[in-house]
């Protein structure tokens, strides 16, 4: 029997829709694969089935996971779906399949002997670690229109994961965090809610139009960092372990 490969959108909603469609198809699960690689080398002796993202189907899958597996397992699966790794969709599908047939679905992530569950756990941990790092490494700049803006270039799709933290910390400010690589921005209105916008029309040059007050504070911050640094005790290797170079280029204290 030819393998059936369901091609879904590279998003949590796309992956969950793919899971729903696979279950609805009634095809033998052993001959099915879920992939979010829309472009790439096609596999021989495989039938490709396109999945159109459906928010209603995705919501049904999300509620099923949360109700049967519990909030912690749902969080692990959600974070894994935010990974940049190409094998995430099939690992998530197989993990959900395992959980739905398990006698102890709320202990799903304890079954690390299963390769797919172990993979989801690894992906979730990597995404969680990057999100945690960015909570401390994000640097906002005040633009000329008084909006606070931060530009980041994370490996994983983490803007939705870090947005609640900054919404709590800066509830009355108008701010945005822009994922440069994905052209994705989380936007927060002062005193209101936050939302996510994806567009190819963002003018990245506009994010560099900082206010005069911001320039003054940036110079003061760099001067402070220089004044507390002890040149004789510099350890660049340790610094890069705790603060990787890919984060430093978006931090004002490393910009000269």
């Amino acid at each position: 029997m030819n393998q059936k490969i369901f091609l879904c959108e590279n998003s949590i909603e796309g992956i969950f829709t793919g899971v729903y469609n696979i279950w609805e198809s009634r095809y033998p699960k052993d001959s099915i694969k879920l992939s979010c690689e829309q472009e790439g080398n096609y596999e021989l002796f495989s039938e490709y089935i396109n999945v159109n993202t459906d928010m209603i189907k995705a919501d049904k899958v999300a509620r099923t996971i949360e109700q049967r597996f519990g909030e912690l397992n749902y969080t692990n699966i959600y974070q894994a779906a935010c990974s940049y790794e190409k094998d995430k969709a099939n690992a998530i599908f197989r993990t959900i399949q395992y959980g739905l047939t398990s006698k102890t679905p709320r202990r799903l992530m304890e079954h690390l002997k299963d390769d797919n569950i172990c993979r989801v756990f690894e992906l979730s941990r990597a995404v969680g670690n990057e999100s945690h790092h960015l909570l401390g490494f994000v640097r906002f700049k005040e633009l000329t229109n008084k909006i606070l803006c931060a530009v980041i270039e994370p490996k994983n799709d983490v803007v939705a994961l870090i947005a609640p933290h900054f919404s709590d910390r800066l509830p009355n400010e108008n701010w945005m965090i822009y994922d440069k690589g994905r052209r994705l921005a989380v936007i927060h209105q002062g005193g209101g809610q936050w939302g996510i916008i994806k567009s190819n029309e963002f003018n990245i040059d506009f994010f560099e139009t900082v206010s005069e007050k911001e320039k003054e504070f940036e110079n003061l911050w760099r001067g402070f960092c220089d004044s507390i640094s002890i040149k004789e005790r510099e350890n660049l290797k340790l610094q890069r372990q705790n603060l990787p170079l890919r984060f430093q280029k978006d931090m004002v204290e490393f910009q000269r």
Side-chain angles (χ1 to χ4, degrees):
M1 180 182 293
N2 287 350
Q3 179 179 224
K4 312 282 187 183
I5 300 180
F6 284 70
L7 292 176
C8 66
E9 181 184 69
N10 185 12
S11 67
I12 183 70
E13 295 83 7
I15 292 172
F16 282 0
T17 302
V19 171
Y20 186 99
N21 286 2
I22 288 173
W23 221 264
E24 190 179 46
S25 71
R26 304 295 181 181
Y27 290 131
K29 302 300 183 291
D30 292 341
S31 63
I32 288 179
K33 181 179 178 181
L34 180 62
S35 175
C36 56
E37 293 184 75
Q38 296 295 336
E39 297 180 0
N41 295 324
Y42 284 88
E43 297 183 25
L44 295 175
F45 310 111
S46 298
E47 177 185 348
Y48 285 82
I49 302 171
N50 289 316
V51 174
N52 296 319
T53 301
D54 187 312
M55 299 302 293
I56 295 176
K57 292 180 179 179
D59 185 60
K60 287 181 179 179
V61 173
R63 283 189 282 111
T64 298
I65 295 171
E66 197 162 12
Q67 290 170 4
R68 294 196 186 184
F69 303 168
E71 186 176 348
L72 181 59
N73 288 316
Y74 175 80
T75 298
N76 276 296
I77 291 171
Y78 182 93
Q79 289 188 170
C82 295
S83 172
Y84 72 97
E85 297 287 358
K86 296 179 179 180
D87 63 337
K88 63 181 180 180
N90 198 57
I92 289 171
F93 159 58
R94 293 298 178 187
T95 297
I96 294 172
Q97 179 188 14
Y98 188 104
L100 291 174
T101 57
S102 173
K103 294 181 180 179
T104 56
R106 290 183 174 268
R107 300 175 63 181
L108 181 63
M109 287 298 149
E110 296 179 20
H111 300 275
L112 295 178
K113 289 184 178 179
D114 182 272
D115 291 341
N116 293 296
I117 294 175
C118 184
R119 183 58 173 157
V120 167
F121 182 81
E122 290 174 347
L123 295 175
S124 175
R125 182 172 58 182
V127 171
N129 286 341
E130 184 171 46
S131 300
H132 180 71
H133 282 140
L134 284 170
L135 297 184
F137 297 158
V138 167
R139 296 291 185 266
F140 287 98
K141 297 182 178 182
E142 183 186 68
L143 304 183
T144 52
N145 58 7
K146 304 304 180 183
I147 294 176
L148 300 180
C149 177
V151 178
I152 60 175
E153 299 178 63
K155 288 183 178 179
N156 304 292
D157 186 3
V158 298
V159 289
L161 298 177
I162 65 177
H165 170 84
F166 292 104
S167 181
D168 289 340
R169 294 291 300 273
L170 303 168
N172 299 317
E173 302 291 340
N174 295 317
W175 55 262
M176 69 180 297
I177 301 174
Y178 179 62
D179 183 338
K180 187 176 179 181
R182 294 176 177 81
R183 295 187 174 272
L184 189 72
V186 56
I187 297 177
H188 177 270
Q189 183 178 10
Q193 302 296 317
W194 59 270
I196 294 178
I197 296 177
K198 184 176 178 63
S199 174
N200 292 324
E201 303 301 321
F202 283 111
N203 183 2
I204 190 65
D205 294 331
F206 177 72
F207 299 148
E208 300 300 324
T209 58
V210 299
S211 66
E212 293 301 318
K213 187 177 179 181
E214 173 65 27
K215 293 177 183 178
E216 181 181 348
F217 275 105
E218 285 186 3
N219 288 330
L220 288 171
W221 178 245
R222 292 190 190 101
F224 169 75
C225 291
D226 289 340
S227 67
I228 64 172
S229 174
I230 303 174
K231 186 175 182 180
E232 291 75 17
R233 299 187 66 181
E234 284 185 356
N235 187 336
L236 294 180
K237 183 178 180 180
L238 179 61
Q239 182 189 69
R240 289 166 184 167
Q241 287 178 356
N242 295 320
L243 180 54
L245 288 172
R246 63 191 180 90
F247 293 115
Q248 293 183 21
K249 64 179 181 294
D250 296 315
M251 299 174 69
V252 64
E253 55 265 49
F254 292 96
Q255 297 170 356
R256 301 295 175 181

